[in-house]
Amino acid sequence: MKMCVGGQWVDKPGKIEVRHPYDNSLVDTVPHGDAGDVDRALAAAARGAKLMAKLTAHDRYQILMKAAQKIEARAEGFAKTITLEGGKVITEARGEAGRAVQTLQLSAEEARRLHGETVPLDASPGGAGKFGFTIRVPCGVVVAISPFNFPLNLMVHKVAPAIAAGNAIVMKPPTVTPLSSLKLAEVLLESGMPAEAISCLTGPGGELGDALCRDARVRKITFTGSVPVGERICRMQESSG
């Protein structure tokens, strides 16, 4: 498969082999992304974030519900991909695909319930008859880094709420199980996600992950993995300002 950079499918001369853990058979290849691809993806995401911020709650609901419907219709294909790249037994892979559908549906519903709150100010002198209010606004660019063990649903758990809140997404799937995330990117584009607001980069975490986490254009990182890597990401974000 090719990787997705700002909604465009990109190939590279360098390849990474995706192999079935059970018998080491070749499942597919994906591009070996680099720092230049990270920069292009983030530049697109910065533009895409502006487009996402203009979408209504209904628009975001529609994108996520359409994605849920498409994955549900292709559930067996997604399950086979999960099994081939991750070695999970097919019954568990089917369960993961079904759970991803539910996660998208729940996030779609939440897109219509995001709101601020009103705060009465009469607890202070001079506040009688007055109130303040808060509103929620998108972060902007969200980077989603997921592990190998649930290659579809853990990425959906990161991406779907971010879309519900009106953000652009750059996905960094694990090197050994990137195919489910790439297929998720396909579905989101088919479902109406603005092209520049979605990227899925394939390549070593030490190269791509570090470049993503150090970049000041990234406003939020959602990560599942080890404690040492999580602490390292926090340090990189602090140094990026």
Side-chain angles (χ1 to χ4, degrees):
M1 293 186 73
K2 297 178 181 179
M3 67 179 174
C4 182
V5 182
Q8 303 299 311
W9 294 98
V10 175
D11 208 353
K12 306 277 290 189
K15 304 291 183 186
I16 296 172
E17 294 182 342
V18 180
R19 292 189 173 273
H20 189 358
Y22 180 73
D23 60 10
N24 205 39
S25 60
L26 182 65
V27 178
D28 205 340
T29 62
V30 295
H32 188 300
D34 56 30
D37 299 309
V38 169
D39 185 64
R40 285 185 285 275
L42 290 176
R47 297 188 295 269
K50 296 177 181 178
L51 299 175
M52 290 296 295
K54 293 178 181 178
L55 296 182
T56 65
H58 180 71
D59 292 334
R60 302 192 300 274
Y61 167 86
Q62 288 283 81
I63 290 169
L64 291 166
M65 285 301 292
K66 286 178 182 177
Q69 291 161 4
K70 289 179 184 295
I71 291 180
E72 187 170 35
R74 305 173 196 175
E76 189 65 15
F78 269 96
K80 288 179 180 177
T81 298
I82 292 167
T83 293
L84 287 172
E85 67 177 348
K88 189 173 291 187
V89 296
I90 191 66
T91 52
E92 291 185 3
R94 288 171 180 148
E96 182 176 343
R99 176 59 182 160
V101 171
Q102 296 169 11
T103 304
L104 285 160
Q105 291 169 337
L106 290 167
S107 297
E109 293 293 343
E110 287 303 312
R112 302 197 292 192
R113 288 195 282 264
L114 289 172
H115 54 80
E117 61 179 340
T118 57
V119 182
L121 301 179
D122 59 358
S124 299
K130 299 177 182 178
F131 67 90
F133 66 91
T134 63
I135 59 172
R136 295 182 182 272
V137 296
C139 295
V141 177
V142 174
V143 165
I145 304 173
S146 68
F148 74 95
N149 53 335
F150 287 88
L152 176 61
N153 191 44
L154 278 180
M155 185 60 84
V156 172
H157 265 286
K158 300 173 183 306
V159 168
I163 293 172
N167 298 290
I169 307 293
V170 179
M171 292 187 274
K172 171 56 184 79
T175 307
V176 293
T177 58
L179 304 179
S180 295
S181 292
L182 290 169
K183 290 189 173 185
L184 173 62
E186 285 182 338
V187 165
L188 289 169
L189 286 168
E190 291 173 11
S191 301
M193 187 80 172
E196 290 191 311
I198 186 76
S199 290
C200 185
L201 303 178
T202 55
E207 293 179 40
L208 304 191
D210 285 7
L212 287 167
C213 295
R214 287 195 184 104
D215 200 292
R217 289 171 289 189
V218 176
R219 304 306 300 159
K220 188 173 285 291
I221 298 170
T222 168
F223 164 78
T224 302
S226 69
V227 171
V229 175
E231 291 174 342
R232 189 157 169 261
I233 287 172
C234 289
R235 288 194 296 271
M236 285 189 285
Q237 270 286 286
E238 288 172 359
S239 64
S240 74

